[in-house]
Amino acid sequence: MREFLLGNEAIARGAWEAGVKFVSGYPGTPSTEIIETLAMRFPETNPRWSANEKVAFEEGMGAAIGGLRVLVTMKHVGLNVAADAFMVFPYSGTNGGFVVISADDPGMHSSQNEQDNRYLARVGKVPVLEPSDAQECHDFMIAGLELSEQFKSPVMLRTTTRLAHHKGLVEVGERREVEKKEFVRDAKRFSVPIYRLIRRPEVEKTLNALTAYAETCSFNRMEHNDNKSIGVVTSGIAYQYVKEVMPNAGVLRLGMTFPLPANLLREFCSQYETVYVIEEGEPFIEEYMRNLGITNLKGKEIFGLIGEYSPGRLRSALALGDPPKPFTEQVNLIPRPPMMCVGCGHRTVFAALKQLKVTVSGDIGCYTMGALPPYEAEHTTFCMGASIGVAVGLEQAGHKDTVAIIGDSTFIHSGIPPLIDAVYNKSHLTLVILDNSATGMTGSQQNPASGKNLLGEETPKLDLEAFCRATGVSSVEVVDTWQRKEIVNTIRRAIAYKGPSVVIARGPCNQLPEIKKRHVIPFIVEEELCTKCDACFKVWCPAITRTEQNFPVIAAHECTSCTVCAQVCPTDAIKLAEAFA
Amino acid sequence: MNTYSLMFAGVGGQGSLLIAELTSLAAVSAGYDTKQTEVHGVSQRGGSVETHVRFDRVEKVHSPIITPGEAFAVIGLEKLEALRFAHYVDQKNGTIFINDHELIPASVADAEKIYPHETIEYLKSMGLRVIVLPASRMARDLGDGRMANVVLLGALSTILPIPQDLWEKTIKLRIPAKYLEGNLKAYQAGKEMMS
């Protein structure tokens, strides 16, 4: 049977078919749909959202040494968070098959950096599989678990944005239950620090065995051509672009990119006059080949390092013709950056921060958009949880007007140690937690502050205010995120407070399914009372546009009834549709 | 070249992904090898969204990404977004469908003033085949402006080799019952605009 599946859905399907019994991860583009698909279609794989990627990895590690087949998912920067566990797991090795997804994002469509995690895998001595289409996402998921069990090694399945987020036809199968492996208490294997000297040679033994395996495994495939002028070594989605742009070239497609097969590469390159190395991301394969002493190579110097590849980019690089450029000569092709949703509770907070003219140390979430017009009220953003540490550092550098801002999910993910640190080191930190009870930017997933888990079951809701007080913050105030005046006053009080203070701006994300479903009475503009003063336009709600007579008009099916426009109207011309009727 | 390449361009929330998906599913049901991919920014809504669809009856489709200059059709759900992706069209044999509708980017300063209101005239002056449809207005007249996407789908369907009954079957499979009747009407209205 064939299904039309996203790369990520194909991975989920593969995990289910392979008898996976534990799945953990933290949402992150482009990996999120794997766990969402498992929750929706294959809950018998026991999927969950974990507090962060390190926790997810460690839970997966436990489940795998405990004998289950395991999948752990994260985006590329998530593996930085999980790196501590990732680096040490090969020392003990696994019992049940263990696959970790590293979803890399060349082009940074939804990420703060470009990072080729094959290098992390090399540091950790973890084998890497790179599928080239949705079918292989499915097949390599299954084969990855088998490889993991064969070599008792964790396996990285590296996807990229285009692979994860493209759909193709996938031949699927049925679930096959796999017997649980036995867990034997064995400190000499699983207590790595104490027995590290015993374990260290084992890592090399496994890696050597994997290197020998790489030479003959079916992940790596030669597609020879009679014309021996051009050969291509490629991996991942770039293989598809090669097949399209250079249909007559001989190809060595590497489906396993760590460890790399030295003999296979030498043999392939010896048969072609010129060999192009075409890989998205860093020159991982290319550097290895150059180190082998292979010299008839062309790679990054013509295809480039930065951003996604595409057939058009390959054509340009190979001087096969430049595709047309966007039409911009006589027209103004203005950008359209993303924006906060209609009724988003973050707007009032950014309006307040702008009004208070403070320095804002931001974090990772939809609220990175607070850096854009019209607010321009977020001045630093780096990585998950950095808002708090950076604010503490800015304070030490004399910038005492700094406010840190972080969402509930990011706070749980990696804002907790820095908050404890800020209190411990006597910072005057002012922290605003945007608590929308969701991991918003990746699609409003559940988190420990939602009171619901991935499968929608009730679960204890993290008491953020009690938690902050427990760290030693004595000023913790909670405010309805849609009360604009109150937000300004509360943040102002928090800044003036002598000592660390936390403001929790609370209100559910409008993209949460239960909020989307609720019945909304929209606001409407009573034109007789409207003086066209434009005050309502300054709340920057995308649902408010102009009529031909220049009156504001609110799109009824978009309005979330957040009340903010009505709060700013000086003549009370904005009313609930029901009241008006 | 037997591969049909289609570029769907719109603003997050307009449903360009939905009609791309319907097109892919219809192509799959007609027996084509099909690939689809979307490109969008960081957020759920409001940004520029592009979806690429490619299908071929004879050969395997390799790249899910379209190269500028090869699209059989560019489907713009909004004028600025149609302009942004117009160069993807095959300038000899391709068609650009444009919903005659403007959404002014809220997060760009003075956007109303610098918005390319003259997009349609400009693209026509470049010698491109441009089909302008008042899809948003038609959808509003049918009861819900959000169905502008399906009006465009109806128009698009008339130039693709996929049998008509498969389009309707696909819409029925994919659109929730509550919205089905309106969407079938929107699809029909788009089709009729092309006859």
Side-chain angles (χ1 to χ4, degrees):
Chain A
M1 189 180 61
R2 288 199 307 173
E3 286 193 26
F4 190 59
L5 298 177
L6 267 184
N8 279 341
E9 293 168 334
I11 289 171
R13 175 85 198 197
W16 174 75
E17 288 176 24
V20 162
K21 283 214 175 78
F22 181 83
V23 184
S24 53
Y26 183 81
T29 312
S31 71
T32 312
E33 297 86 358
I34 301 171
I35 285 186
E36 288 185 323
T37 303
L38 289 169
M40 214 181 314
R41 291 188 57 189
F42 310 113
E44 55 272 50
T45 56
N46 187 18
R48 63 178 57 195
W49 291 128
S50 305
N52 68 27
E53 294 87 352
K54 181 173 189 285
V55 176
F57 196 100
E58 289 157 351
E59 290 169 344
M61 204 156 58
I65 65 170
L68 303 179
R69 281 195 163 180
V70 168
L71 169 65
V72 179
T73 77
M74 57 197 64
K75 67 183 295 172
H76 63 289
V77 286
L79 194 64
N80 300 342
V81 178
D84 221 5
F86 178 77
M87 295 296 166
V88 76
F89 194 20
Y91 277 64
S92 76
T94 188
N95 279 342
F98 179 101
V99 169
V100 57
I101 304 292
S102 168
D104 294 7
D105 187 15
M108 300 178 283
H109 295 284
S110 192
S111 307
Q112 64 264 39
N113 70 345
E114 279 191 332
Q115 177 180 309
D116 188 330
N117 274 357
R118 295 178 298 182
Y119 284 98
L120 276 190
R122 193 167 75 188
V123 175
K125 300 174 191 281
V126 173
V128 178
L129 301 181
E130 286 193 69
S132 292
D133 60 15
Q135 180 71 57
E136 287 187 344
C137 284
H138 168 273
D139 299 350
F140 283 22
M141 177 66 226
I142 299 169
L145 288 163
E146 288 162 0
L147 182 72
S148 170
E149 284 171 4
Q150 185 183 342
F151 290 90
K152 297 193 182 322
S153 168
V155 168
M156 177 197 286
L157 187 64
R158 181 197 182 226
T159 65
T160 55
T161 303
R162 200 53 47 220
L163 203 56
H165 282 174
H166 90 284
K167 285 192 169 190
L169 287 163
V170 178
E171 187 69 43
V172 297
E174 287 310 310
R175 181 165 169 93
R176 194 170 59 85
E177 295 299 339
V178 179
E179 205 174 317
K180 188 175 147 180
K181 301 263 189 310
E182 195 188 357
F183 170 65
V184 181
R185 289 183 197 166
D186 180 0
K188 284 186 179 158
R189 183 172 167 204
F190 296 117
S191 290
V192 172
I194 291 290
Y195 293 105
R196 63 198 180 278
L197 298 180
I198 298 175
R199 298 312 308 168
R200 180 69 185 88
E202 294 299 316
V203 180
E204 295 308 313
K205 252 192 230 167
T206 305
L207 191 58
N208 286 339
L210 280 161
T211 307
Y213 170 83
E215 296 285 356
T216 55
C217 70
S218 59
F219 296 112
N220 301 329
R221 184 174 71 226
M222 291 225 231
E223 298 170 7
H224 277 303
N225 198 285
D226 293 341
N227 179 347
K228 298 296 180 190
S229 59
I230 292 176
V232 177
V233 175
T234 186
S235 71
I237 192 81
Y239 167 77
Q240 305 296 343
Y241 308 152
V242 169
K243 293 303 278 184
E244 183 155 324
V245 176
M246 312 164 77
N248 298 318
V251 176
L252 171 56
R253 200 295 302 269
L254 297 172
M256 181 167 174
T257 50
F258 185 77
L260 282 161
N263 295 333
L264 191 65
L265 285 163
R266 282 200 189 98
E267 187 206 324
F268 180 81
C269 293
S270 71
Q271 296 187 35
Y272 292 87
E273 209 172 300
T274 305
V275 174
Y276 291 102
V277 188
I278 304 181
E279 53 184 327
E280 260 185 345
E282 299 290 323
F284 184 81
I285 301 168
E286 185 183 339
E287 277 177 354
Y288 178 81
M289 291 171 73
R290 290 193 191 279
N291 286 340
L292 288 176
I294 301 171
T295 52
N296 55 333
L297 298 183
K298 286 189 174 151
K300 289 293 171 190
E301 76 274 23
I302 64 167
F303 299 106
L305 196 66
I306 300 171
E308 269 198 288
Y309 281 11
S310 65
R313 180 164 168 173
L314 261 54
R315 274 189 196 114
S316 295
L318 295 163
L320 298 173
D322 288 322
K325 301 254 181 310
F327 295 113
T328 54
E329 274 159 29
Q330 293 162 43
V331 279
N332 199 353
L333 189 56
I334 57 176
R336 188 187 301 276
M339 57 186 176
M340 293 173 210
C341 303
V342 173
C344 177
H346 299 342
R347 275 209 178 75
T348 47
V349 176
F350 283 106
L353 294 168
K354 189 182 171 92
Q355 185 186 333
L356 293 168
K357 297 189 172 65
V358 285
T359 303
V360 178
S361 164
D363 223 301
I364 304 289
C366 296
Y367 41 94
T368 55
M369 286 184 273
L372 299 174
Y375 300 108
E376 297 173 275
E378 193 172 80
H379 309 103
T380 72
T381 315
F382 294 98
C383 54
M384 294 289 283
S387 58
I388 301 172
V390 168
V392 168
L394 280 166
E395 179 192 345
Q396 288 300 308
H399 304 281
K400 299 202 184 296
D401 67 336
T402 305
V403 173
I405 183 158
I406 193 169
D408 52 315
S409 188
T410 306
F411 177 69
I412 293 161
H413 177 284
S414 48
I416 288 171
L419 178 62
I420 293 171
D421 176 273
V423 175
Y424 174 62
N425 282 310
K426 299 186 175 177
S427 163
H428 285 194
L429 173 78
T430 306
L431 173 65
V432 179
I433 300 179
L434 301 165
D435 176 18
N436 62 4
S437 302
T439 308
M441 189 166 66
T442 46
S444 291
Q445 288 78 19
Q446 306 81 350
N447 70 46
S450 342
K452 274 197 188 131
N453 67 11
L454 171 66
L455 301 175
E457 300 157 344
E458 299 283 323
T459 178
K461 189 175 161 76
L462 178 71
D463 185 339
L464 283 171
E465 43 273 49
F467 183 86
C468 291
R469 284 196 189 96
T471 67
V473 177
S474 48
S475 169
V476 178
E477 291 198 64
V478 181
V479 54
D480 176 340
T481 195
W482 289 287
Q483 294 304 316
R484 41 180 298 281
K485 278 189 185 154
E486 224 180 305
I487 290 267
V488 179
N489 293 337
T490 314
I491 297 178
R492 192 182 274 131
R493 269 199 305 280
I495 293 169
Y497 186 78
K498 300 274 176 244
S501 54
V502 171
V503 174
I504 299 172
R506 181 163 286 155
C509 175
N510 282 306
Q511 299 296 331
L512 280 166
E514 62 267 31
I515 301 293
K516 270 182 158 173
K517 257 189 272 170
R518 106 205 125 134
H519 175 67
V520 171
I521 300 165
F523 277 82
I524 54 170
V525 177
E526 192 176 347
E527 291 185 0
E528 281 168 22
L529 295 176
C530 176
T531 60
K532 300 186 187 176
C533 74
D534 275 8
C536 55
F537 285 101
K538 296 193 180 109
V539 305
W540 304 106
C541 175
I544 305 178
T545 54
R546 286 176 206 277
T547 64
E548 273 160 31
Q549 294 76 39
N550 229 15
F551 283 110
V553 58
I554 302 169
H557 68 263
E558 288 190 48
C559 179
T560 65
S561 206
C562 79
T563 76
V564 175
C565 59
Q567 291 174 41
V568 299
C569 179
T571 57
D572 287 332
I574 301 180
K575 297 191 158 143
L576 274 176
E578 195 175 59
F580 187 70
Chain B
M1 193 74 183
N2 299 314
T3 304
Y4 285 85
S5 295
L6 308 172
M7 166 62 88
F8 296 83
V11 177
Q14 276 195 302
S16 61
L17 179 60
L18 174 67
I19 56 168
E21 176 102 24
L22 289 168
T23 306
S24 293
L25 292 173
V28 166
S29 66
Y32 289 85
D33 188 35
T34 307
K35 281 187 179 169
Q36 173 190 327
T37 189
E38 64 173 295
V39 180
H40 58 74
V42 295
S43 110
Q44 296 291 303
R45 285 175 62 92
S48 175
V49 179
E50 55 178 288
T51 310
H52 305 226
V53 172
R54 305 186 79 206
F55 55 92
D56 195 308
R57 189 188 288 285
V58 185
E59 286 173 59
K60 191 172 153 55
V61 174
H62 289 291
S63 168
I65 294 185
I66 301 172
T67 302
E70 74 172 14
F72 183 69
V74 170
I75 302 91
L77 269 69
E78 194 272 352
K79 273 160 68 174
L80 169 60
E81 297 316 312
L83 175 64
R84 196 183 312 285
F85 297 100
H87 64 294
Y88 274 83
V89 81
D90 174 344
Q91 299 192 15
K92 274 197 204 118
N93 306 309
T95 307
I96 304 175
F97 292 87
I98 304 185
N99 177 16
D100 192 3
H101 182 60
E102 294 182 358
L103 288 169
I104 310 292
S107 45
V108 175
D110 289 325
E112 175 82 51
K113 259 183 240 153
I114 58 174
Y115 184 96
H117 302 286
E118 70 284 19
T119 287
I120 290 168
E121 297 72 21
Y122 169 66
L123 291 175
K124 282 182 175 167
S125 77
M126 300 290 289
L128 301 169
R129 189 190 304 159
V130 178
I131 295 177
V132 184
L133 294 163
S136 287
R137 208 190 61 219
M138 288 163 66
R140 267 199 306 277
D141 292 345
L142 288 168
D144 191 338
R146 284 174 293 181
M147 301 185 306
N149 58 346
V150 178
V151 172
L152 283 169
L153 183 72
L156 171 69
S157 73
T158 62
I159 67 160
L160 294 178
I162 300 166
Q164 280 304 324
D165 61 313
L166 290 181
W167 287 102
E168 281 173 31
K169 222 185 245 176
T170 306
I171 293 171
K172 284 176 190 162
L173 275 175
R174 182 65 177 70
I175 305 276
K178 195 166 119 185
Y179 303 109
L180 184 59
E181 200 194 326
N183 276 288
L184 284 172
K185 277 187 194 153
Y187 171 78
Q188 201 58 39
K191 237 171 74 176
E192 279 161 15
M193 287 295 286
M194 296 289 287
S195 59

